[in-house]
């Protein structure tokens, strides 16, 4: 395996039961009787894609950090486990959903303890910079995460090398060392990768001298990570045109932070409200980080009310309308939003196009929808107006959805996290009964989704 193409060999389906079990979901299969509008109020906590990185940032502090609004999801459990094997003491704080992360006794972990986390998540790659600063070495197991493309880590390894890390590929992962310490560098990403930008931030804050990163990702979760690092003592400037400058400092302290809400979870419940003719109040959701989603939601025919404590998403009646969506980096339409929203598009009157430009293989979930009666064709060409980096590369990355179609219940198997939530919505909005298997994966990113479905009036039984 060459290091530019290193990705997980873990069988996502095989590990699904473990994902659910670690957060108290014992069933792996749900039988859903569809056709009931989801109505009610649910709350979202901190964003999976911020909280997990914030937990890693705690490694950089000389004193304990306090993170609030941490959701009980299996990705958080995995990162917690990996921190604990490196000597970080993680305890629950007084307020529910609060973690106290004490890195004072950070130590090198045994290979077996680290390897136990192989294939479970993509977050371990972000341990590199903090561990190199703290211990002078790091071992990163093979990564996991959703299978929605090849998901290489070449950008990560390239920037770490430029900071001065020595990277050595080994059969079960990557060993790194920093014999001469880490030094600030001039860096440019070929694509505004979220993970690689976080890698640079978590490494540069304590590297000696100045780091300049061009082509950075600027997702709200990254901005919140910058908030956290600033609280710890870092000096970070976000300039125009995706340039981030970091002045390295000699020491950082712990932070106290309430995590940014999970806009991907909020968008998923919004999509569920629209597809089921429902009405869901998502407590904790905020407008500013969802502006692009809200525009599309409205164009499809959904309605929303912005309130101080959340956003109400509902189907106001009338026909849903087709849209052309192109996913992209922030402030574009997030790739994580397209999968749940596709279910509503199967009910829209006309032809919608979804051009996926972030991941080359994020349409695996549509086979099950076609089996349920949706009319969806997947194309290799860039449809919808623009040419993306996947255009000449034979990837099935554009979907044409023709509606309206009625979905019928079926037996379906969840392929990945967001695709899985999309399958739940399909089953909830379909006529008849569906059996959705492998639902444990959904626990990677959706806290207590079973309890929330109950609150919203869904009719289902758990099995297995
Ligand atoms: N890429 C490379 N080389 C690299 C890194 C990325 O080619 O070294 C490519 C990827 O293959 C992909 C693109 O760059 O085609 C964007 O990847 P990015 O690094 O931005 O994604 P990520 O950091 O791995 C995070 C989220 C994803 C979310 C994306 C985009 C986490 C743990 N994951 O992934 O969330 O879709 O950013 O916003 O933060 C999810 O929550 O379901 C999920 C997949």
């Amino acid at each position: 395996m060459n290091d530019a193409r290193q990705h997980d060999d873990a069988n996502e389906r095989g590990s699904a039961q473990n994902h659910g079990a670690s957060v108290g979901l014992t069933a792996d299969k749900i039988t859903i009787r569809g056709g009931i509008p989801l109505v009610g109020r649910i709350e979202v906590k901190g964003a999976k894609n911020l909280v997990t990185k914030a937990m890693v940032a705690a490694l950089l502090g000389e004193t304990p950090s306090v993170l609030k609004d941490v959701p009980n999801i299996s990705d958080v459990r995995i990162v917690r486990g990996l921190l604990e094997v490196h000597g970080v003491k993680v305890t629950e704080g007084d307020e529910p959903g609060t973690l106290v992360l004490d890195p004072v006794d950070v130590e090198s972990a045994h290979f077996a303890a680290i390897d136990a986390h192989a294939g479970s998540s993509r977050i371990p790659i972000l341990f590199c910079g903090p561990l190199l600063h703290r211990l002078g070495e790091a071992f990163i197991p093979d990564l996991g995460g959703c299978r929605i493309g090849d998901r290489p880590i070449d950008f990560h390894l390239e920037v770490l090398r430029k900071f001065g890390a020595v990277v050595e590929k080994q059969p079960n992962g990557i060993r790194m060392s920093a014999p001469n310490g880490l030094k600030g560098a001039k860096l440019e990403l070929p694509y505004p990768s979220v993970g690689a930008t976080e890698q640079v931030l978590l490494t540069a804050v304590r590297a000696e001298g100045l780091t300049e990163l061009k082509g950075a990702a600027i997702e709200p979760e990254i901005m919140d990570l910058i908030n956290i690092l600033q609280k710890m003592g870092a000096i970070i400037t976000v300039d125009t045109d995706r340039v981030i400058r970091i002045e390295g400092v000699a020491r950082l302290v712990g932070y106290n932070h309430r995590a940014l809400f999970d806009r991907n979870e909020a968008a998923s419940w919004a999509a569920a409200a629209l597809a089921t003719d429902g009405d869901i109040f998502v407590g904790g959701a905020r407008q500013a980080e969802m502006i692009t989603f809200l525009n599309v939601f409205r164009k499809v025919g959904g309605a929303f009310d912005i309130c101080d404590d959340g956003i109400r998403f509902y189907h106001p009646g009338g026909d849903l309308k087709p849209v052309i969506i192109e996913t992209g980096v922030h402030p574009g339409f997030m790739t994580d939003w397209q999968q749940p929203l596709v279910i509503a598009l199967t009910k829209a009157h006309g032809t919608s196009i979804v051009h996926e430009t972030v991941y080359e293989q994020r349409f695996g979930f549509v086979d099950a929808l076609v089996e349920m009666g949706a009319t969806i064709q997947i194309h290799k060409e860039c449809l919808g107006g623009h040419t993306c980096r996947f255009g000449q590369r034979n990837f099935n990355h554009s979907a044409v959805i023709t509606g309206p179609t009625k979905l019928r219940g079926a037996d379906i198997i969840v392929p990945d996290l967001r695709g899985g939530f999309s399958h739940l919505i399909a089953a909830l909005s379909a006529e008849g009964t569906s059996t959705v298997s492998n639902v444990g994966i959904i626990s990677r990113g959706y806290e207590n989704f079973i309890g929330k479905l109950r609150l919203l009036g869904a009719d289902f039984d758990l099995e297995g």
Side-chain angles (χ1 to χ4, degrees):
M1 194 160 40
N2 87 35
D3 70 18
R5 296 280 128 185
Q6 196 250 21
H7 60 95
D8 66 300
D9 291 328
N11 182 332
E12 184 83 49
R13 287 189 181 162
S15 62
Q17 187 85 39
N18 295 341
H19 280 299
S22 72
V23 291
L25 173 66
T26 48
D28 198 40
K29 203 185 262 189
I30 308 184
T31 301
I32 296 178
R33 289 166 288 280
I36 299 174
L38 295 188
V39 178
R41 173 175 178 137
I42 50 107
E43 307 294 323
V44 293
K45 285 214 193 92
K48 164 178 91 75
N49 293 345
L50 174 267
V51 163
T52 43
K53 291 55 174 298
M55 292 170 73
V56 180
L59 268 174
L60 289 163
E62 288 177 12
T63 53
S65 291
V66 178
L67 184 59
K68 295 175 191 157
D69 272 357
V70 179
N72 185 18
I73 53 176
S74 54
D75 271 17
V76 164
R77 294 267 157 169
I78 290 162
V79 179
R80 177 177 181 161
L82 206 48
L83 285 169
E84 285 171 339
V85 300
H86 284 97
V88 178
K89 286 192 198 68
V90 185
T91 49
E92 322 281 325
D94 294 339
E95 188 186 319
T98 299
L99 288 184
V100 180
L101 305 124
D102 182 350
V104 172
D105 296 323
V106 165
E107 59 188 11
S108 293
H110 292 294
F111 168 77
I114 300 177
D115 198 48
H117 294 83
S120 54
S121 155
R122 300 194 63 71
I123 307 300
I125 189 71
L126 296 177
F127 278 63
C128 297
L131 286 182
L132 286 173
H133 284 304
R134 292 295 305 259
L135 304 169
E137 59 171 9
F139 178 76
I140 307 303
D142 281 344
L143 302 179
C146 289
R147 297 183 149 198
I148 49 184
D150 201 26
R151 307 193 79 181
I153 52 168
D154 49 345
F155 304 165
H156 294 255
L157 299 186
E158 187 57 26
V159 294
L160 285 162
R161 285 191 184 105
K162 288 199 171 142
F163 279 112
V166 175
V167 177
E168 187 196 334
K169 274 292 295 166
Q170 295 194 339
N172 298 323
I174 301 168
R175 183 163 294 285
M176 283 185 210
S177 56
N180 303 314
L182 297 174
K183 304 214 167 36
K186 275 192 178 288
L187 308 165
E188 179 158 10
L189 294 176
Y191 181 84
S193 152
V194 168
T197 300
E198 292 159 342
Q199 182 76 264
V200 171
L201 288 168
L202 290 166
T203 308
V205 284
R206 281 212 38 212
E208 193 188 316
L210 185 70
T211 295
E212 179 185 85
L213 175 64
K214 291 186 179 163
I218 49 166
E219 268 60 10
E221 293 77 14
I222 291 176
M223 293 302 136
D224 209 31
L225 182 62
I226 291 175
N227 292 338
I228 289 171
L229 292 168
Q230 189 177 52
K231 285 181 178 177
M232 297 179 79
I235 301 173
I236 304 173
T237 314
V238 182
D239 282 349
T240 48
D241 298 332
R242 299 188 177 278
V243 178
I244 298 181
R245 288 193 178 79
I246 304 123
E247 290 175 42
V249 295
R251 59 183 297 265
L252 295 168
V253 293
Y255 62 82
N256 187 324
H257 191 75
R258 187 172 297 281
L260 174 74
F261 80 100
D262 197 317
R263 63 200 177 110
N264 291 342
E265 184 180 358
S268 298
W269 289 112
L274 194 56
T276 63
D277 290 335
D279 188 335
I280 302 180
F281 188 94
V282 181
R286 293 196 322 217
Q287 180 180 19
E289 292 79 9
M290 296 193 74
I291 286 178
T292 308
F293 178 83
L294 294 171
N295 286 335
V296 173
F297 191 76
R298 178 173 277 160
K299 281 196 211 168
V300 180
F304 53 86
D305 299 334
I306 311 282
C307 304
D308 287 346
D309 58 341
I311 305 180
R312 173 188 171 207
F313 297 96
Y314 56 103
H315 190 317
D319 291 343
L320 296 186
K321 296 180 276 291
V323 285
I324 295 176
I325 299 173
E326 191 164 70
T327 65
V329 294
H330 187 77
F333 189 91
M334 276 206 83
T335 168
D336 304 287
W337 296 337
Q338 61 94 346
Q339 289 164 297
L341 200 65
V342 160
I343 311 304
L345 299 183
T346 67
K347 296 167 190 296
H349 288 243
T351 301
S352 297
I353 294 173
V354 180
H355 180 201
E356 169 61 56
T357 77
V358 180
Y359 291 112
E360 67 273 25
Q361 284 174 39
R362 212 168 193 176
F363 285 119
F365 73 105
V366 304
D367 291 350
L369 306 182
V370 170
E371 207 183 309
M372 294 176 82
T375 306
I376 305 179
Q377 278 135 9
I378 305 297
H379 297 261
K380 293 187 179 2
E381 295 77 24
C382 297
L383 302 180
H386 298 101
T387 304
C388 77
R389 65 205 166 107
F390 303 140
Q392 307 301 320
R393 295 173 55 201
N394 221 20
F395 293 126
N396 282 319
H397 72 294
S398 294
V400 176
I401 304 129
T402 309
T405 46
K406 279 202 168 146
L407 299 183
R408 300 176 300 270
D411 290 352
I412 52 182
I413 303 174
V414 162
D416 60 71
L417 173 62
R418 308 290 168 198
F421 199 87
S422 154
H423 283 183
L424 282 185
I425 301 175
L428 290 159
S429 66
E431 273 176 6
T433 301
S434 299
T435 306
V436 188
S437 309
N438 206 33
V439 293
I441 287 179
I442 299 172
S443 306
R444 284 193 42 215
Y446 295 87
E447 181 181 51
N448 187 23
F449 67 95
I450 295 292
K452 289 177 185 175
L453 286 175
R454 265 200 199 101
L455 266 176
L456 296 170
D459 182 9
F460 63 91
D461 297 311
L462 297 174
E463 287 176 49

